[in-house]
Amino acid sequence: MMKSVLIANRGEIACRVIRTARRLGIRTVAVYSDADADALHVRLADEAVHIGPAPTRESYLVGDKIIAAAKQTGAEAIHPGYGFLSENAEFAQAVMDAGLIWVGPLPKSITAMGLKDAAKKLMADAGVPVTPGYMGENQELDPLKAEADKIGYPVLIKAVAGGGGKGMRLVEQAADFLDALASCKREAAASFGNDHVLIEKYILSPRHIEVQVFGDSHGNVVHLFERDCSLQRRHQKVVEEAPAPGMDEATRAKLCAAAVRAAKAVDYQGAGTIEFIADGSEGLRADRIWFMEMNTRLQVEHPVTEEITGVDLVEWQLRAASGEPLPKRQDELSINGWAMEVRLYAEDPTKGFLPSIGRLDVFDYPDHLVRVDTGVEEGAEISPHYDPMIAKLIVHGDTREEAIADLRFALDEGECGPLITNAGFLYRVLGDEQFAAGTVDTGLIGRKLEELTTRPEPSVEGLEMAAAALIGGGRGPWASSAGLRLNAPGKRQMRLADQFGRDFTVELGEPMDGPPRREIALNEGGERLVLKPWRAVGGADGGVGSGSILAPMPGKVIAVEVAAGETVTKGQKLLTLEAMKMEHSLTAPFDGVVQEVNCTAGDQVQVDALLAKIDTE
């Protein structure tokens, strides 16, 4: 077993690797950028090395700096985590050429599976079923459109070097193809330095099923069963679970056997995932499941596999990289119960899931019930430079129903703020009837987006408790007698306001013991409301109805779709902002006329910059 390892990553996955390494007695080395100087992974590691400024291209993506840090600290191995350089074959080779242990697959395996078009051809040759589509070299716009027309709409445009939901567009009709293609190529070039795409037939009732595989340097390959990651938004996974609902033993056996064949076809070593797309219109059937791609790294959702198998996949990675054989044979692996994971993000679902950056003052989830994999703690800053994931919340139960109930309870009882998070959205997704029945597909969230992202009104009971706590042991200055009637007692009421500009009137009961408070947090269904007496916030409307289009975060304007004087309709795209390696469309809040446009394509803008202004006609 190796004695030391450098983790070439940050955040949650860096902390995850450090915890397992520490349990195994392996010394750990962290790397960090300027923005991460005080990060949790830096403090958890035995040693840490600064590798550059906040932008990833100047720090976490600079392989030479990471290898130099390993040599400087005497680390024997480099674990890449996921993202960043984890699937970069050139970096893997450079690590090995430097005499270090690469905790991952052979560079040739990464290369074989790195480009989606070549990987599909390889899988077809290995007898693994693949989805119909175009994977050719001709990347001219008109020939690509002709291929899409030939396949038949809807089609999916995918960057051949893509991953993590980036560089992917669904096109439902021919008229939209060229615009979607241009956007996909821009995002792919920015994220991966490669704008080549492939085109796939889009399955109308698609389910995303993936199989965890693991290989060692002795020729052994096993699978650790399947995960279902069908609940997605914009091709990014929202809920992951294992096993897959509706999967029978015969279909599981054929699917997992195909995954093992795929891994063996590229001499795979280490942790990897074979991703499949299934047509779920008639349930899960082996003849309607096709290979999509392989991720040659540890997946974000690996904890659900760990929970149902009792395996520590990071430990397996470290052992396999040290030259040890796999700790278990295939017949020693089995499924125990049901596991489910959600990704808690600092983002506002009511505003198109725009990231919410700033200080995390409160972060508390019932860890006796839920596994919390995180790279932050109370007092940390959620930075605009990186992915805004706060934590992964994972539960394990005897049944799927128990797992859902426990995860909803954790979201309801947990508290995270003052940043806006997607916890309430996750709570509502888990409570969806279709999801509860296990009849999900990748389009479920898109079809119910408004319902799932609408912030509900707080309960009367919750408001009454908040009012009682605000008043405390006395009546307080904000209570009022109202509705005086002859021969009837008056009603005591209190008006409250939340941080979103909403106000509520509540009947007052008995005050709560303790001094009056200026504000109180109410947590219900994953939503965290900060309530104050209405007068304390001046009855402000929070800017509702404003036609000012402000930059929600620092970023680069990559497209301006309108000009001053132009008439627009509610929801019409006005401009596109690139931030956190993703494109964000800013739309008109209502029907009106563009009064001003204060930016052009290529401008770098700061948060709250006035980009455009709309007035009603």
Side-chain angles (χ1 to χ4, degrees):
M1 173 70 76
M2 65 184 69
K3 300 299 183 184
S4 57
V5 61
L6 179 144
I7 299 95
N9 217 297
R10 63 174 303 280
E12 176 270 325
I13 187 57
C15 294
R16 167 74 186 85
V17 175
I18 289 169
R19 289 187 177 103
T20 288
R22 175 179 292 169
R23 179 173 60 80
L24 296 174
I26 299 173
R27 183 173 67 90
T28 57
V29 179
V31 292
Y32 65 94
S33 69
D34 289 347
D36 281 338
D38 297 320
L40 181 60
H41 77 278
V42 174
R43 286 181 279 118
L44 284 179
D46 295 305
E47 192 170 352
V49 179
H50 175 253
I51 54 170
T56 57
R57 65 181 179 275
E58 299 178 50
S59 50
Y60 295 106
L61 288 175
V62 184
D64 290 345
K65 289 184 177 180
I66 291 168
I67 292 172
K71 289 184 173 181
Q72 171 189 330
T73 57
E76 294 177 66
I78 291 181
H79 191 305
Y82 54 70
F84 294 144
L85 295 169
S86 63
E87 294 181 280
N88 186 308
E90 291 183 1
F91 176 63
Q93 188 62 57
V95 169
M96 297 167 68
D97 290 345
L100 302 170
I101 298 171
W102 169 248
V103 185
L106 297 172
K108 68 176 184 179
S109 303
I110 299 175
T111 299
M113 288 300 198
L115 296 179
K116 292 180 173 62
D117 51 353
K120 283 196 167 187
K121 292 172 184 174
L122 181 62
M123 290 299 99
D125 291 341
V128 179
V130 300
T131 48
Y134 173 74
M135 301 177 286
E137 293 296 323
N138 193 334
Q139 292 289 307
E140 297 296 322
L141 300 187
D142 289 339
L144 284 173
K145 185 176 184 304
E147 291 293 340
D149 293 343
K150 188 189 304 180
I151 295 166
Y153 296 90
V155 298
L156 200 60
I157 306 172
K158 298 171 70 173
V160 298
K166 298 182 179 69
M168 192 180 297
R169 298 292 186 276
L170 170 62
V171 185
E172 300 192 61
Q173 53 189 8
D176 299 330
F177 182 83
L178 291 177
D179 283 347
L181 177 63
S183 176
C184 184
K185 279 180 167 287
R186 280 198 306 267
E187 191 170 276
S191 298
F192 315 113
N194 183 345
D195 72 349
H196 279 216
V197 301
L198 60 82
I199 304 169
E200 287 180 349
K201 175 67 178 174
Y202 186 75
I203 310 302
L204 290 175
S205 297
R207 286 182 62 179
H208 183 125
I209 312 291
E210 59 188 35
V211 177
Q212 178 72 58
V213 294
F214 212 105
D216 63 22
S217 58
H218 304 277
N220 302 307
V221 178
V222 298
H223 68 79
L224 292 94
F225 309 102
E226 82 282 356
R227 298 184 287 256
D228 191 314
C229 306
S230 298
L231 220 57
Q232 302 180 5
R233 185 191 68 83
R234 290 183 62 187
H235 309 295
Q236 290 188 305
K237 299 163 187 175
V238 174
V239 179
E240 299 108 348
E241 58 183 307
M247 178 73 73
D248 60 49
E249 287 300 329
T251 303
R252 174 176 291 124
K254 291 181 179 178
L255 178 69
C256 292
V260 170
R261 286 200 306 275
K264 287 183 175 180
V266 293
D267 189 22
Y268 200 78
Q269 298 178 22
T273 299
I274 312 296
E275 300 197 350
F276 295 89
I277 188 168
D279 181 350
S281 59
E282 298 179 15
L284 291 177
R285 289 173 29 187
D287 63 344
R288 304 185 76 162
I289 303 178
W290 302 278
F291 171 85
M292 214 170 29
E293 62 183 319
M294 182 178 190
N295 287 306
T296 53
R297 54 173 168 80
L298 195 67
Q299 291 281 90
V300 177
E301 59 272 21
H302 74 273
V304 295
T305 294
E306 294 182 324
E307 293 297 319
I308 65 164
T309 60
V311 166
D312 183 331
L313 288 171
V314 173
E315 177 180 343
W316 277 35
Q317 285 187 298
L318 296 171
R319 291 191 180 281
S322 298
E324 298 181 16
L326 294 181
K328 290 187 176 184
R329 302 186 309 269
Q330 189 66 68
D331 61 4
E332 295 177 306
L333 294 164
S334 60
I335 296 174
N336 173 35
W338 211 284
M340 198 167 287
E341 171 184 300
V342 293
R343 307 182 190 190
L344 182 68
Y345 274 93
E347 62 185 10
D348 188 349
T350 69
K351 295 183 178 179
F353 296 87
L354 290 172
S356 173
I357 59 176
R359 182 181 166 89
L360 187 65
D361 290 332
V362 180
F363 181 45
D364 184 20
Y365 281 85
D367 55 11
H368 68 283
L369 181 67
V370 61
R371 169 178 164 180
V372 181
D373 281 15
T374 184
V376 299
E377 56 188 353
E378 288 185 355
E381 291 285 332
I382 303 300
S383 166
H385 301 289
Y386 311 115
D387 184 276
M389 187 172 77
I390 297 172
K392 300 184 307 195
L393 307 179
I394 309 107
V395 296
H396 178 258
D398 292 335
T399 65
R400 186 171 188 266
E401 292 73 20
E402 183 181 321
I404 292 173
D406 286 349
L407 197 44
R408 293 192 88 211
F409 179 83
L411 288 165
D412 191 35
E413 290 294 307
E415 188 173 6
C416 189
L419 300 176
I420 299 170
T421 76
N422 66 337
F425 165 75
L426 295 172
Y427 181 87
R428 293 186 288 276
V429 166
L430 293 168
D432 178 79
E433 291 182 1
Q434 190 176 348
F435 174 74
T439 54
V440 301
D441 61 60
T442 58
L444 186 149
I445 289 177
R447 292 191 299 272
K448 300 184 177 184
L449 191 61
E450 183 173 358
E451 172 188 339
L452 295 171
T453 57
T454 297
R455 185 174 290 113
E457 297 281 304
S459 69
V460 172
E461 295 79 8
L463 290 172
E464 288 176 347
M465 289 179 60
L470 286 167
I471 292 175
R475 186 162 169 253
W478 304 295
S480 65
S481 293
L484 290 174
R485 293 174 292 167
L486 288 175
N487 304 315
K491 292 183 178 180
R492 294 179 64 227
Q493 295 180 324
M494 185 174 187
R495 192 174 178 187
L496 306 176
D498 68 13
Q499 71 269 44
F500 304 111
R502 302 181 299 178
D503 64 272
F504 315 95
T505 300
V506 59
E507 303 291 334
L508 288 174
E510 291 298 318
M512 192 175 291
D513 290 340
R517 305 188 194 185
R518 295 180 59 83
E519 65 180 39
I520 189 167
L522 173 64
N523 299 286
E524 286 187 334
E527 297 289 351
R528 184 177 193 269
L529 300 183
V530 179
L531 295 165
K532 298 181 181 181
W534 182 77
R535 290 180 189 174
V537 295
D541 65 4
V544 175
S546 170
S548 297
I549 310 302
L550 306 179
M553 70 197 84
K556 179 181 179 181
V557 178
I558 60 172
V560 178
E561 311 287 345
V562 295
E566 186 174 334
T567 300
V568 295
T569 57
K570 181 180 179 180
Q572 181 177 336
K573 184 162 69 172
L574 306 175
L575 54 92
T576 304
L577 187 70
E578 183 184 65
M580 294 184 174
K581 298 184 181 179
M582 296 288 286
E583 292 189 4
H584 304 277
S585 296
L586 303 186
T587 61
F590 45 72
D591 295 349
V593 177
V594 179
Q595 295 299 310
E596 56 185 86
V597 177
N598 301 314
C599 61
T600 59
D603 287 353
Q604 291 284 346
V605 297
Q606 296 302 312
V607 64
D608 290 336
L610 179 62
L611 306 179
K613 188 171 179 61
I614 312 294
D615 282 347
T616 54
E617 294 183 274

